[in-house]
Amino acid sequence: MLSNIRKSLLMLLAATGVGFLFRYFELSEANIIMVYILAVLIIAMITTHQIYSLVSSFISVIVFNFFFTEPRYTLTAYKKDYPITFIIMFIAAFLTGSLAVRLKNQAKKSEEAALLAQKEQLRANLLRSISHDLRTPLTAISGNASNLLSNGEKFDAETKHQLYLDIYENALWLINIVENLLAVTKIEKGKMTLKCSTELMEEIVSEALQHVDKDKAQHNITVQFEEEFILAKIDAGLIIQVIVNIVDNAIKYTQKDSHIEISVGKKENKVLVTISDDGPGIPDGEKEHIFDMFYTGRNVADSKRSLGLGLFLCKSIIEAHECEIRVENHIPHGTEFQFTLPIGEVTLSE
C-alpha cells in the first residue's frame, strides 16, 4: 500500500514539475491538463488497484486548480468556464485511468491463460513421453523376469547372467529418469533449494562416474585436472547428476570405442568443467534447443531412449548455482559441454 501511495505521489509531483516548466515557457493550460491525465494513466499502470488512479484523478484537479488557475495558490477560480474545465479534466483522467486498469487486468488474465496453457502442454508432453519411453524398459524387465520365473531352471548360467544384467540396466535407467522427473518437478514448482558445501571436484567426478551408463566400458573415459586440489562450493548431489546426465548422453550418442574426456580447471575465479567426445556431434540448428525441456532432436525416434529432460535439468541446476552452461563443437569433431561452478575455499580455524 505504501509503495502504491509513494508511486502516485511521485507521479503527481513530476506532473506538477512539468506543469511549472510549461507555464515558464508560456504554454497553454490545455498542455498542463494533458500532463496530469498522462500522470493518472501511468499511475493506473504502475499501481495495483483502481482506487489509486481514482484518487489521483481527483487530486490532479485540485493541484491544477491550486497552482495553475487564476488566482493561483488558492482553490477558487475567477473564470466561469473553470468549473467545466475541472469536471472534464476529472472525467478524462478517471476514464483514462479506468481504461488503463482494464487493459492491465486483461493483459494479466491473458498472461495467466497463456501460462496455464503452457503448463497443460508441458503436462501433456510429459505424459506422452513417459507413456512412450517408459514402456520399453518396463516391458523388458517384466519379460525377462517372466522368463526367469517360468524357464529359469532351463537356462544356463550365461543366459541367466544376461537376463539379470538386462533387468538391472533397465531398472537403473528407470531410476535415473525418476530422479530427473522429481528434480524437474521441484524446478517447475520453484522448490529447488541448494545445499551447498565446499567439495573436492576429484571426488565429485569420481562419484559421478560410478553412476553413469553401464555401457561406459565400451568407451574410453579419461579425466584430467589442471591442479591437484580444485574445490567448488556446490550442491554435490545435483552436480553429480549434471555430470552423469552429460556423460550418459556422450555414451548413448557416440560410437563404441569413442573417447570421452572430462577436464576440470579454473577460469576467472570459477571452476570450469569440460566434457567432450569425438562422436558425430550436434548439428548447429539443434544447439540452440538442446537445453529445452522435452527436446530430443534427431534421436527422438531412435533406439536411444530419452525424455528430453536431462540437459534441461543440467541447465537449471547450473543456473541455480548462478553459473553458466553451454555446448559447442569439439575439434576436430564431436561435442563439448562446458559449465562453470562457484569456486570453493577452505577456512582453517585455529
Side-chain angles (χ1 to χ4, degrees):
M1 179 178 178
L2 290 176
S3 176
N4 289 320
I5 294 174
R6 191 180 300 111
K7 292 176 183 178
S8 301
L9 291 176
L10 287 175
M11 286 307 306
L12 290 175
L13 285 173
T16 303
V18 174
F20 278 112
L21 186 64
F22 281 11
R23 192 178 72 179
Y24 176 80
F25 288 105
E26 298 182 351
L27 298 178
S28 67
E29 293 177 350
N31 292 310
I32 301 177
I33 291 174
M34 293 302 297
V35 170
Y36 278 105
I37 293 176
L38 176 62
V40 172
L41 172 62
I42 295 174
I43 289 170
M45 294 174 63
I46 63 177
T47 54
T48 58
H49 198 279
Q50 188 174 3
I51 187 64
Y52 297 102
S53 61
L54 174 62
V55 173
S56 297
S57 301
F58 179 76
I59 293 177
S60 65
V61 173
I62 300 299
V63 173
F64 174 77
N65 180 20
F66 186 81
F67 287 110
F68 302 107
T69 61
E70 297 292 344
R72 295 192 178 96
Y73 310 116
T74 68
L75 294 179
T76 59
Y78 286 164
K79 293 184 179 179
K80 295 180 180 180
D81 57 349
Y82 271 151
I84 297 177
T85 300
F86 298 154
I87 294 173
I88 294 174
M89 179 181 172
F90 174 76
I91 293 174
F94 174 72
L95 292 178
T96 301
S98 299
L99 179 61
V101 170
R102 183 176 300 178
L103 291 174
K104 186 172 66 173
N105 290 336
Q106 288 179 350
K108 184 178 180 180
K109 290 180 180 179
S110 298
E111 183 179 352
E112 291 175 350
L115 183 60
L116 180 61
Q118 183 182 12
K119 288 183 177 179
E120 290 298 327
Q121 185 63 42
L122 287 175
R123 186 178 293 110
N125 288 341
L126 181 59
L127 291 174
R128 182 169 57 252
S129 298
I130 290 175
S131 62
H132 177 270
D133 293 306
L134 298 191
R135 186 182 297 115
T136 301
L138 288 173
T139 301
I141 290 172
S142 61
N144 289 333
S146 177
N147 281 334
L148 287 168
L149 288 171
S150 303
N151 306 303
E153 69 280 357
K154 300 177 182 179
F155 295 146
D156 56 30
E158 184 179 353
T159 302
K160 287 183 179 180
H161 176 76
Q162 186 59 49
L163 291 173
Y164 292 143
L165 184 61
D166 288 343
I167 292 174
Y168 178 70
E169 289 181 347
N170 280 285
L172 280 182
W173 186 84
L174 288 173
I175 290 172
N176 184 53
I177 285 296
V178 170
E179 288 178 350
N180 282 346
L181 287 172
L182 291 174
V184 168
T185 301
K186 291 180 181 179
I187 293 171
E188 289 297 299
K189 293 182 178 180
K191 294 182 178 179
M192 176 177 278
T193 55
L194 300 181
K195 298 178 181 178
C196 292
S197 57
T198 300
E199 303 287 344
L200 184 63
M201 285 302 300
E202 183 176 359
E203 295 180 354
I204 296 296
V205 174
S206 176
E207 178 69 19
L209 291 179
Q210 298 300 316
H211 295 84
V212 299
D213 196 302
K214 289 301 178 182
D215 289 337
K216 67 180 180 180
Q218 301 175 359
H219 300 259
N220 301 299
I221 301 178
T222 58
V223 182
Q224 292 185 349
F225 291 88
E226 292 182 3
E227 300 179 17
E228 185 175 0
F229 297 104
I230 298 180
L231 301 174
K233 190 173 184 180
I234 54 175
D235 186 310
L238 293 178
I239 298 304
I240 288 173
Q241 196 168 1
V242 170
I243 297 173
V244 169
N245 284 339
I246 296 177
V247 174
D248 274 351
N249 276 352
I251 292 173
K252 290 174 184 177
Y253 301 127
T254 59
Q255 66 282 2
K256 291 182 180 180
D257 296 324
S258 65
H259 293 80
I260 300 170
E261 181 178 339
I262 304 173
S263 63
V264 183
K266 294 181 181 178
K267 183 179 180 181
E268 298 177 356
N269 296 321
K270 295 281 187 181
V271 174
L272 177 64
V273 180
T274 303
I275 303 175
S276 60
D277 63 66
D278 57 358
I282 301 173
D284 291 337
E286 294 186 14
K287 287 188 178 68
E288 59 181 310
H289 303 292
I290 201 70
F291 294 107
D292 294 346
M293 185 184 289
F294 302 119
Y295 185 78
T296 53
R298 67 188 186 282
N299 297 305
V300 67
D302 68 12
S303 61
K304 313 295 186 181
R305 302 185 300 270
S306 174
L307 292 179
L309 294 176
L311 292 179
F312 166 79
L313 180 60
C314 290
K315 182 178 181 181
S316 300
I317 291 173
I318 296 302
E319 290 182 346
H321 284 78
E322 298 182 354
C323 291
E324 297 180 349
I325 184 171
R326 60 177 179 159
V327 60
E328 56 187 31
N329 294 328
H330 179 63
I331 306 300
H333 58 85
T335 303
E336 181 175 288
F337 286 90
Q338 289 188 349
F339 60 88
T340 55
L341 298 171
I343 200 164
E345 297 181 354
V346 174
T347 302
L348 299 177
S349 57
E350 296 182 359

